[in-house]
């Protein structure tokens, strides 16, 4: 079972620190990396195949920015792969160690006990809220003059994003704009590891979909974030409610065909 925000287990933080275990740590770190890698590449490679070969042809009807990355430039793709690899080595792997330590100190259940439906639903709701809050404010900060020029501009090289470009970013942005936004909820709630792994898998795949450039039937709409890449200004959140609250919806987005189709769709006719 995961802990609620106000709960703690019966041990002190110092006792949990003394109970750090090499075997437990290696297992947690290994599973966390497997979950991320499988989620990222299974979803990312599916979209990348379409980007490279424009097949299957029916998928092209759902292209958000027709004519862009058809096919994707191989030189740009190599640069993207190199940056993603760097980010994983210098940020992702060290974070997985920190993940174990922080969750151990938080008192999270590091076993593989199956979480209750109540935990999955309630913790999941907090995860979504925390992702929106942390992503919106970190993303908006990245659009300040200094951070945009020194950090965030790299991510915006792709005005028509592709799926695996979701983590194409400066290492600082990858740490605080990508990893922290997903990791904050489970740490806040002291969630069990299975709950955390399910969330990381889903959040990773949704992030790839938001960057995929394809608005496929029954999948989350990428229109909101894709428009941010197209215009650079506004649409800083994930769900959009903080953009409404702060008045940072891109005004042209609200008048666009992208806004009209920003929902779950069921057929290519809805892409017109």
């Amino acid at each position: 079972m995961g802990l609620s925000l106000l709960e703690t287990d019966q041990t002190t933080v110092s006792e949990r620190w003394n109970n750090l275990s090499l075997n437990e740590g290696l297992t947690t770190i290994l599973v966390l990396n497997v979950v991320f890698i499988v989620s990222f590449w299974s979803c990312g490679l599916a979209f990348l195949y379409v980007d490279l070969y424009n097949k299957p042809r029916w998928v092209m009807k759902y292209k958000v920015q027709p004519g862009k990355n058809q096919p994707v430039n191989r030189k740009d793709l190599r640069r993207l792969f190199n940056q993603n690899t760097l980010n994983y080595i210098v940020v992702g792997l060290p974070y997985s160690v920190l993940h174990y330590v922080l969750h151990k100190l938080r008192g999270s259940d590091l076993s593989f006990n199956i979480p209750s439906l109540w935990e999955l639903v309630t913790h999941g709701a907090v995860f979504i809220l925390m992702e929106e809050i942390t992503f919106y404010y970190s993303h908006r900060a990245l659009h300040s003059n200094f951070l945009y020029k020194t950090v965030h501009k790299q991510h915006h090289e792709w005005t028509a994003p592709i799926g695996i470009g979701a983590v194409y970013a400066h290492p600082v942005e990858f740490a605080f704009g990508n990893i922290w936004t997903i990791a904050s909820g489970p740490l806040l709630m002291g969630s069990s590891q299975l709950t955390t792994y399910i969330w990381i898998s889903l959040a990773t795949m949704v992030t790839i979909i938001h960057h995929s450039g394809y608005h496929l039937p029954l999948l989350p709409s990428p229109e909101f974030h894709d428009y941010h890449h197209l215009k650079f200004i506004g649409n800083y959140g994930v769900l959009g409610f903080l953009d409404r609250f702060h008045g940072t919806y891109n005004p042209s987005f609200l008048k666009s065909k992208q806004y009209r189709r920003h929902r779950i769709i069921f057929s290519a006719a809805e892409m017109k």
Side-chain angles (χ1 to χ4, degrees), residues 131-149:
E131 182 187 33
E132 178 70 10
I133 293 171
T134 55
F135 184 77
Y136 177 86
Y137 291 110
S138 64
H139 191 192
R140 193 167 177 185
L142 286 168
H143 275 265
S144 64
N145 289 335
F146 175 75
L147 289 179
Y148 184 83
K149 292 177 182 178

Side-chain angles (χ1 to χ4, degrees), residues 231-257:
K231 299 296 186 180
F232 296 88
I233 298 172
N235 297 17
Y236 298 116
V238 179
L239 301 176
F241 69 83
L242 282 177
D243 284 282
R244 288 195 180 278
F245 179 77
H246 289 289
T248 52
Y249 251 98
N250 186 302
S252 63
F253 177 68
L254 297 173
K255 302 174 183 177
S256 68
K257 63 181 179 181

Side-chain angles (χ1 to χ4, degrees), residues 62 151 206 221 244 259:
Y62 298 94
V151 176
V206 169
S221 167
R244 288 195 180 278
Y259 178 71

